[in-house]
Amino acid sequence: SLDPSSLVAFEDAAAGHDGILSDSTGDLFIKPCTPAEIAFYESSLASHPSFAALMPTFMGTLRLGSPDQTLAAQASTSGVTPGTAASLPLSDPGLSRGKKLDTQTAIVLENVAAGFSRPNIMDLKLGARLWDEDAPPEKRARLDKIAAETTSSSLGFRVAGMRVWQGAREGGQAKDAKGEGGDDGYKVYDKMYGRKFTADNVKEAFWEYLRSSRTGVDEGLAIGLIKGFRLAKRFHDDVSAIEECLEQQESRMISASILFVYEGDPTTRNQAWAAAQESPRFQPGAQAEVDSEVNFDRQGETDNHGSSDGDDDDDDDDDNASPKLSVTKMIDFAHAKWTPGLGPDENVLQGVRSIRKILLEIFIALFKQWKEQL
Ligand code: ADP
Ligand code: MN
């Protein structure tokens, strides 16, 4: 269970406001938020299950600095039955100190970067129109100007931020005991990075984000290319599923994002590829040709799935999970609502389609490069 006094700063944000927290295990993402965002999670779980599956798991809410200081865990993957409310005393009264929170309430979500050894993260902010109905004229004008100067207006999305693992840096310093300072080998691309792209060159940001997926441990160019192809294809398929879901729903989401995560550590990533090859997702008929021509990941595969060699930490079934390769989620629903009767959210869908098309072009390019290597 969660020890509320052990909350720490969240390290894996690619964009957004300060003040995000995590717990000691790193499994939770705790963000100060508006009641609207909590309401959107609750209504999605209650009445839009297909979209809820595309969101991080909603674990509950946390009241920051409120008199009763309770954690209401309304749904949890760690044993709390959805629908029941469990209250824990929040023993750290200084939780919100030093943070400029607009709100007393935080949302508690699954940390979608948990379970990765070195999560590479990309946040793509969706929509050409980025202001809500209640935004004052100055805010509308400011956001419209940013949209006009970026790919937000032309493509319906822009790169909000990225974090990409570079490997241990030469001369890099480890973080101190508090997890501060140091140079942990991540390259951080802030919000200004994504604003400089145009519709013609924003694909470069995707190449930049995906580049390290093609470098492995003792692997040749061809194997790197096919792995890069497969990762881009996975993200493409995820975005395609988001597109299909949104086309069938009636919603308005202002300034929501698509969040990509993939494993940045080459050794862990190889283990994840080996595990992924065994999962159903990895075996569609359309990929049979590729599968038969290259079995790049069999070489390093150890059979750690079927048999128990006694080394497993078997006191928690959830810990048997294989290393993760990639995850795609929709996030950031501060200005999102279900709007029956209004039809699909074309503002968001324009961006989703642009992203899918870019990923399609990238995986085709990688496939061609791989063919040329044979
Ligand atoms: P903001 O309203 O500040 O933009 P977001 O919900 O977009 O807040 O979150 C900020 C950043 O935190 C995102 O760019 C993303 O990198 C990260 N993030 C958001 N939700 C999660 C989550 N559930 N798990 C892991 N990281 C997340
Ligand atoms: Mn955001």
Side-chain angles (χ1 to χ4, degrees):
S1 66
L2 178 61
D3 173 3
S5 69
S6 67
L7 298 183
V8 295
F10 182 73
E11 298 284 336
D12 282 316
H17 302 91
D18 287 339
I20 301 173
L21 300 166
S22 188
D23 67 323
S24 59
T25 67
D27 288 340
L28 300 181
F29 173 91
I30 303 168
K31 183 183 82 161
C33 76
T34 59
E37 185 155 18
I38 294 164
F40 187 76
Y41 270 91
E42 287 174 340
S43 67
S44 299
L45 277 170
S47 51
H48 297 83
S50 62
F51 188 80
L54 306 173
M55 308 165 82
T57 305
F58 176 64
M59 315 291 271
T61 60
L62 184 66
R63 255 157 238 136
L64 302 168
S66 68
D68 60 344
Q69 294 186 326
T70 57
L71 170 76
Q74 292 165 331
S76 161
T77 54
S78 56
V80 179
T81 310
T84 65
S87 291
L88 293 174
L90 180 57
S91 57
D92 181 4
L95 187 63
S96 61
R97 202 182 297 142
K99 302 264 172 25
K100 286 193 177 120
L101 304 178
D102 295 320
T103 167
Q104 300 271 300
T105 305
I107 190 165
V108 183
L109 300 173
E110 156 205 20
N111 172 13
V112 300
F116 291 89
S117 150
R118 301 292 185 185
N120 285 346
I121 300 174
M122 183 183 220
D123 178 321
L124 301 167
K125 187 189 277 285
L126 298 167
R129 198 192 103 177
L130 294 163
W131 43 265
D132 210 346
E133 301 296 349
D134 59 7
E138 317 84 68
K139 187 174 182 181
R140 296 185 185 199
R142 180 169 56 84
L143 295 177
D144 281 347
K145 183 167 184 284
I146 295 170
E149 291 167 354
T150 64
T151 57
S152 291
S153 70
S154 52
L155 297 177
F157 84 93
R158 73 170 182 264
V159 178
M162 316 195 307
R163 287 172 60 84
V164 181
W165 178 247
Q166 307 291 300
R169 265 182 210 166
E170 212 181 314
Q173 301 278 310
K175 292 185 180 192
D176 66 18
K178 287 176 164 175
E180 287 165 1
D183 173 357
D184 65 1
Y186 272 96
K187 186 164 178 185
V188 178
Y189 304 75
D190 67 9
K191 66 181 178 186
M192 299 318 291
Y193 170 80
R195 288 193 193 178
K196 71 180 200 297
F197 292 103
T198 64
D200 292 332
N201 66 16
V202 70
K203 203 193 289 183
E204 287 170 22
F206 288 76
W207 282 113
E208 179 77 7
Y209 172 65
L210 294 168
R211 187 161 43 115
S212 78
S213 71
R214 302 193 293 286
T215 59
V217 177
D218 297 330
E219 292 183 329
L221 181 59
I223 288 172
L225 287 168
I226 205 66
K227 285 185 172 176
F229 154 75
R230 284 184 151 152
L231 183 67
K233 174 91 168 45
R234 282 169 72 95
F235 282 135
H236 167 276
D237 293 354
D238 291 343
V239 173
S240 187
I242 289 172
E243 182 182 343
E244 259 177 60
C245 185
L246 286 170
E247 280 170 345
Q248 291 159 21
Q249 314 262 352
E250 297 181 293
S251 55
R252 292 295 177 270
M253 297 174 194
I254 300 293
S255 199
S257 285
I258 288 179
L259 189 71
F260 291 140
V261 184
Y262 77 93
E263 179 56 59
D265 177 73
T267 305
T268 313
R269 193 167 58 238
N270 278 351
Q271 293 163 1
W273 273 122
Q277 182 147 330
E278 296 178 354
S279 78
R281 179 183 189 177
F282 205 66
Q283 318 242 341
Q287 288 190 20
E289 183 200 359
V290 180
D291 286 338
S292 65
E293 288 186 48
V294 165
N295 59 355
F296 54 82
D297 31 15
R298 289 287 168 190
Q299 63 197 32
E301 192 175 335
T302 55
D303 181 20
N304 58 357
H305 305 287
S307 63
S308 175
D309 56 10
D311 287 341
D312 287 351
D313 176 9
D314 55 8
D315 55 9
D316 184 345
D317 287 351
D318 292 342
D319 286 349
N320 290 340
S322 302
K324 295 181 187 172
L325 185 58
S326 70
V327 171
T328 304
K329 292 287 177 185
M330 291 278 299
I331 60 161
D332 202 351
F333 303 105
H335 305 278
K337 48 186 184 285
W338 295 109
T339 53
L342 290 193
D345 189 342
E346 290 301 330
N347 184 49
V348 162
L349 275 165
Q350 183 202 3
V352 172
R353 292 180 182 125
S354 297
I355 293 164
R356 178 178 51 72
K357 187 162 164 276
I358 287 167
L359 288 165
L360 175 76
E361 290 167 5
I362 285 177
F363 85 64
I364 288 173
L366 286 167
F367 190 80
K368 283 182 179 160
Q369 287 178 37
W370 170 69
K371 281 279 185 191
E372 283 160 14
Q373 288 300 313
L374 297 182

